[in-house]
Amino acid sequence: MEDVNGDVIQWKKLWQLISGIHYETPSAVVRDKLLDVSKELTDGLVQFRKAGSDKGSAERLQKMMKERKQEKLLGFATKLYQFLDIDAVQSWNILCFYLVNEYRGPANALADYISTESSMLSLLIEIWAYYSLERMVMLKIVKNLLEFYNSGSHPYSREYKTVVDKIGFANLRKSYIGQLESLVNETMPGKLIPGDMFNNQAKMVAWSERKMREVNETLHIILLIIHYDGIGVEEFARLFKLFKGHSFGRVQQYLNNGNEAHSDMVKRITFSELAIVYRALDLSESAGDERWIDGVIKALDGEIVTLHTFPEHGPLLLVWMLFNFRLQNRLDDDDLSSRYRQFGSRAIQLGVFEYLLAMVQHSTFNDHSIVCRVTRKAIFNQLGFLCQLFDSDGSVAQHAKIYDLLSELLHSPSIAAEFCKNEDNPVRSLFDTTLENFPVDFTPLAMIAHALASAGTNQNKYIHDLLENLPVYSEVYNPDHYELRPSAMNEDEFILAHDYVPFQKIGYVVPRGTSTIVIDKRSHTLAHFRTKFNFYAALHREINELLSDALSYTQLNEDRIQRITTGLRYLAVAVKRIHQPHEISSEMVHPTEMVFDILLKFKVIQAPPVELLAECLNVCAALVPLFEPEIYARVINLNILPTVNNANLDFKDYAAGTSFESSLIGFYLVNYEKNAGKYCILMAYLNFLKTYTKLGKNNVFGVELPGLIFLL
């Protein structure tokens, strides 16, 4: 097939040249290639003209094919542009590119291939998929430019910046908001007619799926534009009304809500639209133009008032309350303040923090992309402003899933670094509350510790040093255990009259003379002893209590199991970051040693705490590089790992699983994890297998071979 002169660009080939992933293309070539298509990058999907938009296009196609003596393909070419719903000449260009790049059959067989309706439909579907991919790659190129044009780490960031500067953010924003409107309001071309091969159900579903993917990618492009260059009142109002008009992605044609993939597509769009709203209304790092704020409020307040029904409305109501309170006069006005506080109350009723948690845990916002970082930072900033306004008494910490959300956000290295560095950040009030209430409220501090330790080396050191020198020990007030005397210095304080030992079997002492504050909570009264405390001592005590409960009760305390599981999850990460055995502090030794006691005690009980056992195995895996012979021997003696009981078999016997025992790992997998749909113990075993194999101990029959057979 000869070259075709047309206005269709081969976006997939361009991506390979300019992405920096496939080839080491010279920088000048990348710059020139992108500048050549700067108009098409700005136009986006609009460059693909709709069928019938140019009345003379079909005639030009006929003339062109006649000149090239390819009239025998005219019937197919006509069906193709109707099937793709684009301009006839552009459709022909796409066909030519498809035949050159993707078609695998001989050229002389093409006429025979399209001679029957079924084979023709098959080819049409393949070309439609090729065309759909070209559209997505074009959007990916634009998104890639915006992601890396300001990054010194990308090999072509300078070239990207040249292109972005030439196009201009204003032009991009205007174009892609218009494209988003067209996509959202687009309807299926043609009508469903019985026997019509162009509009069958499969085609309509595929069309809807493509539309959803393009909408989501366009939303990400708009999010990045807003992040770098902001957005005007009118444009933001257009966007918000567009989001509301299709119920934040929930109004879709031809998709099955019961289909998991379709449900996830809808969720991605809802989350992406919320991300745009949160970023646009995030004024934490800028003073904010009061006229812009007033303009947005006037334009959208009436729209927001009606959103109070669905879960996704919770984040909108919360951020709208916070946005209004950016203006001090609205915060000081009793009527307005009361009105917008009701928005916040309704958001809490709708489970706002649980919804935001699901949003940031979704794969869209759970990677290292700038879209993820921008979204997480916007939510983190809004959470900080919420604490600044309402957490002077620690009340924000009482809301469900608030610490789960904070911990998930702190897994982001940049957010974790800011959190540790800036003690004046208002969100630190939530952290201060966890310190004040530990170890009564054990889990929140353990979750935050795990997040910070996972985020980076510096953050791990920060939280480790703090956990070994906690400023307060708190417990439920019990005057039978100690004597408190009024303080002569402060009427709100008491002084501990005698040394107090709160834990059995652990040598922790609250010394006499310790300043103590007693505070009434909703369900209990807490005594806060102002003395140094250690996180690992609290974890040690929890494990002791669990082992004691196992001797006395048939039913284990689920809350205690959850606390220990969370604590060990942090411990596994903390130990993994240790390079030498002497770096393990004396306080860490006891809970670290006791993971073997937990495994031994609970491995064979009825309904074992599988998630807890998985975290114990993760701690063992973290210990392997430090104490390989000892850890290997102790884990093997527990008889929980898969084994091969015969070292004299040939490869066929091993492949057939002869003499292979899956042990408790296999038992848990089949009887518990498969039913629950959660594979904690499997992942922990794979982590152990990977960690041990990396050591290169060549213990083939002890670890590697059983692991290989298990995976097979």
Side-chain angles (χ1 to χ4, degrees), residues 54-66:
D54 183 352
K55 300 299 183 182
S57 179
E59 295 179 2
R60 289 197 300 274
L61 175 62
Q62 292 180 16
K63 180 180 178 182
M64 181 175 62
M65 296 187 70
K66 184 176 181 180

Side-chain angles (χ1 to χ4, degrees), residues 308-405:
H308 52 75
T309 306
F310 298 104
E312 65 268 19
H313 295 166
L316 293 170
L317 292 172
L318 178 67
V319 77
W320 192 246
M321 176 192 74
L322 297 174
F323 182 69
N324 275 269
F325 288 163
R326 294 284 181 180
L327 295 177
Q328 189 63 40
N329 64 318
R330 300 181 78 83
L331 185 60
D332 295 337
D333 187 304
D334 290 341
D335 292 336
L336 287 176
S337 179
S338 175
R339 178 175 187 262
Y340 290 109
R341 283 172 186 262
Q342 292 177 20
F343 282 40
S345 298
R346 181 56 183 159
I348 297 297
Q349 294 171 5
L350 291 171
V352 58
F353 299 119
E354 184 174 3
Y355 192 90
L356 288 173
L357 174 63
M359 177 174 165
V360 296
Q361 285 179 331
H362 191 271
S363 58
T364 303
F365 304 112
N366 198 16
D367 54 26
H368 299 292
S369 68
I370 191 169
V371 168
C372 168
R373 297 200 301 271
V374 167
T375 301
R376 284 175 163 245
K377 189 60 165 61
I379 294 174
F380 180 75
N381 288 342
Q382 298 290 2
L383 186 60
F385 188 52
L386 176 69
C387 292
Q388 179 181 325
L389 293 175
F390 301 113
D391 201 37
S392 59
D393 59 353
S395 58
V396 173
Q398 305 303 315
H399 296 304
K401 298 297 181 179
I402 186 79
Y403 281 113
D404 300 74
L405 174 61

Side-chain angles (χ1 to χ4, degrees), residues 16 20 151 181 240 242 272 287 356 452 470 495 532 624 701:
Q16 293 171 343
S151 165
E181 288 176 326
F240 191 88
L242 180 65
S272 296
L356 288 173
L452 293 176
L470 294 172
I495 302 299
K532 294 297 182 183
V624 163
F701 290 98

